[in-house]
Amino acid sequence: MSQLRDRLFGARGTTRAFCLLAFLALALSAGAARAGEIRGRLFVGDRGEKPAAGVVLSAVPWEAPFDEARREARAGEAPKPYATAVAGSDGSFLLTVPAEPGKEKLFRVRAEGGGVLPVIFEDVFDASET
C-alpha cells in the first residue's frame, strides 16, 4: 500500500498533505473561540438614501417559533440580548457576539430606536460565524 502511495504522490506529496492537514486543523481551531461579527450600514427613507444614525442593533437569542409564541402569550419576559451596538452617524455598525467553544449560540438581529420602527430580521446567525 505504501508503495502505491509513494508512486502516486511521491514522498513529498505525503509531507505536503500532512502540512496541509495541520494548517487546516490550526485554522479551524483558531476560529472556534472567536466572536461572531456582523458589520454593515443601515439606511432609511423611501429610496434608502438617509443613514440610520442612532439605531440600536441587538443580538437576540433565537427561540423556536412555538416557544416564542408561548412566552408572549403568557406575557413572559423577552430574553436579554447577547450583545448590542449603535449605528454611527453614517449608519455603519459592528455587532460582535462572543462565542463559547463547543456551544452553539444562535441569535437574530433586532433594530430599534433612532426614529425607526422596531424590526427583527428573519435570518438566524451563530456566534461562531462572521
Side-chain angles (χ1 to χ4, degrees):
M1 185 72 159
S2 65
Q3 292 175 348
L4 179 61
R5 184 184 63 224
D6 289 343
R7 220 177 324 145
L8 290 174
F9 300 108
R12 281 193 231 159
T14 306
T15 305
R16 285 183 194 154
F18 180 75
C19 289
L20 182 61
L21 284 174
F23 176 75
L24 184 61
L26 178 65
L28 290 175
S29 66
R34 290 188 176 166
E37 288 184 353
I38 297 177
R39 67 176 64 226
R41 290 181 71 190
L42 292 176
F43 292 92
V44 294
D46 292 336
R47 295 183 214 142
E49 70 278 354
K50 181 181 167 193
V55 173
V56 177
L57 295 127
S58 306
V60 181
W62 180 80
E63 295 179 277
F66 180 75
D67 296 335
E68 183 178 12
R70 185 173 51 193
R71 177 185 51 78
E72 289 175 352
R74 294 180 178 169
E77 196 171 308
K80 301 211 183 299
Y82 293 135
T84 59
V86 179
S89 60
D90 63 347
S92 64
F93 66 91
L94 173 61
L95 182 62
T96 305
V97 180
E100 296 176 25
K103 186 176 179 186
E104 190 175 59
K105 199 176 204 180
L106 300 176
F107 65 93
R108 294 187 302 171
V109 177
R110 179 177 61 209
E112 58 190 347
V116 299
L117 293 173
V119 64
I120 295 181
F121 298 101
E122 292 297 319
D123 294 335
V124 178
F125 303 96
D126 187 4
S128 62
E129 294 179 321
T130 300

